[in-house]
Amino acid sequence: IIVHPEIRKNLLYIKSINEAVRGLTLLAGNHFDNIENSSDEKDKKLSENFIALMTPIIKSYASDKSVENTNRALQIYGGHGFITDHGMEQLVRDARITTIYEGTNGIQALDLIRRKLNIDNGLLFKEFIELIDTYINKINQNPKMSKYLSLYIPSYENFKNVLHFIKSLNDDKEINSHAVEFLNLSSLISLGYVWLRFIEISLEKIKGSNDEFYNSKIETGNFFLTKLLTETQMLHDNIKTGGKYYNDFKDHYFESAI
């Protein structure tokens, strides 16, 4: 069935997200190692701040996508995914609890937009942007990365635009309205950053060789940057239209139905 475009699309969707989430998780883990081993207090503080910022992002986005991706995988199997023979239905049920325990994902999103955004007057996000800006300036010198960087930059600009917009808000309910969308936007920017790093490393590794492992990394990253990262535009537009559509929706309207 792999000849069918829809199957290939779903497999690549799953693969591109899973690999980037693993990369981001390992990057956060590397910062734990840095805290334990570094003698530079400033460097250790940067690692602590990176972990603090990534905790709600990794927990929430990874678990949300685990539910979506296991359901996509079940769909690929069709009816055989629904029965116990292949184990997919078990993975779907196992994934479902992950968005609930250790703080529901909605609460994690509120932690990001209310607490993490305001720590030391936005220091965590400031350092995150400096990290990405520094990396962009570095790979800007590499002509082989220009194609991938051009796919990332528009989404990164959307992210910074939304960040500035949220900082300008004063109404608590309005800010809270955008928690989940802002977390998803931050997650996509983080995963896009990971894919740029994966691609840069892979381009270096295939010099003088044709290692299919690294070629597959490049193509998977290209898929993510081209097909999935575009969701940032929708999230940007969603946040900018405000939360009045549900905040001002009359309570008794929820009781009405067809």
Side-chain angles (χ1 to χ4, degrees):
I1 62 173
I2 202 169
V3 298
H4 297 292
E6 191 62 26
I7 300 297
R8 301 174 76 85
K9 186 196 304 178
N10 279 322
L11 288 172
L12 258 176
Y13 185 97
I14 295 167
K15 179 179 172 66
S16 66
I17 290 176
N18 286 359
E19 291 186 10
V21 166
R22 288 171 188 164
L24 187 61
T25 305
L26 287 169
L27 182 59
N30 187 60
H31 281 280
F32 276 105
D33 292 341
N34 187 56
I35 293 168
E36 190 172 320
N37 298 304
S38 177
S39 57
D40 185 330
E41 291 303 317
K42 183 179 178 182
D43 192 40
K44 289 167 75 169
K45 184 61 178 175
L46 283 170
S47 287
E48 288 173 2
N49 288 347
F50 183 83
I51 292 166
L53 182 62
M54 287 300 133
T55 297
I57 289 174
I58 292 173
K59 192 278 173 184
S60 295
Y61 195 79
S63 55
D64 276 339
K65 289 303 175 181
S66 75
V67 175
E68 181 181 352
N69 284 349
T70 50
N71 272 286
R72 281 177 180 261
L74 187 150
Q75 191 71 22
I76 289 169
Y77 275 97
H80 279 280
F82 196 71
I83 59 178
T84 60
D85 293 33
H86 300 287
M88 274 312 309
E89 49 80 32
Q90 181 68 56
L91 292 174
V92 171
R93 287 188 286 116
D94 289 346
R96 188 62 188 87
I97 188 61
T98 62
T99 65
I100 299 170
Y101 64 25
E102 299 296 333
T104 62
N105 285 1
I107 298 300
Q108 294 285 347
L110 285 172
D111 174 61
L112 182 70
I113 203 169
R114 297 310 305 263
R115 194 164 71 89
K116 299 296 170 60
L117 184 57
N118 292 308
I119 290 176
D120 292 333
N121 198 30
L123 179 64
L124 272 60
F125 278 93
K126 180 175 179 288
E127 290 176 350
F128 179 61
I129 288 172
E130 287 174 354
L131 171 72
I132 295 179
D133 285 346
T134 300
Y135 181 68
I136 287 173
N137 290 335
K138 174 196 168 190
I139 62 174
N140 233 347
Q141 313 305 314
N142 184 352
K144 290 184 178 179
M145 287 297 295
S146 60
K147 167 186 173 182
Y148 309 106
L149 192 54
S150 67
L151 294 170
Y152 183 76
I153 292 295
S155 293
Y156 183 47
E157 292 301 323
N158 278 337
F159 166 71
K160 290 190 290 184
N161 187 282
V162 164
L163 185 61
H164 178 74
F165 171 73
I166 290 172
K167 284 181 176 180
S168 72
L169 298 175
N170 296 311
D171 182 78
D172 287 347
K173 187 179 285 188
E174 179 65 24
I175 294 170
N176 294 347
S177 298
H178 308 305
V180 170
E181 288 77 16
F182 180 65
L183 184 140
N184 288 335
L185 178 58
S186 302
S187 301
L188 285 166
I189 293 305
S190 302
L191 297 188
Y193 165 68
V194 168
W195 269 120
L196 287 176
R197 291 188 62 175
F198 279 170
I199 292 169
E200 183 197 18
I201 293 167
S202 298
L203 287 169
E204 186 64 30
K205 292 286 186 180
I206 60 171
K207 284 181 179 178
S209 70
N210 194 32
D211 192 321
E212 287 297 89
F213 173 80
Y214 295 110
N215 283 323
S216 74
K217 279 283 183 284
I218 294 167
E219 290 306 314
T220 306
N222 191 36
F223 172 84
F224 181 90
L225 295 170
T226 305
K227 292 293 189 180
L228 272 63
L229 199 59
T230 52
E231 186 184 340
T232 56
Q233 184 65 55
M234 179 273 289
L235 292 167
H236 169 275
D237 295 348
N238 184 307
I239 291 170
K240 282 298 195 72
T241 56
K244 62 184 178 182
Y245 300 97
Y246 31 90
N247 288 333
D248 297 341
F249 195 78
K250 291 181 172 56
D251 291 354
H252 65 273
Y253 286 175
F254 287 103
E255 300 170 9
S256 62
I258 295 173

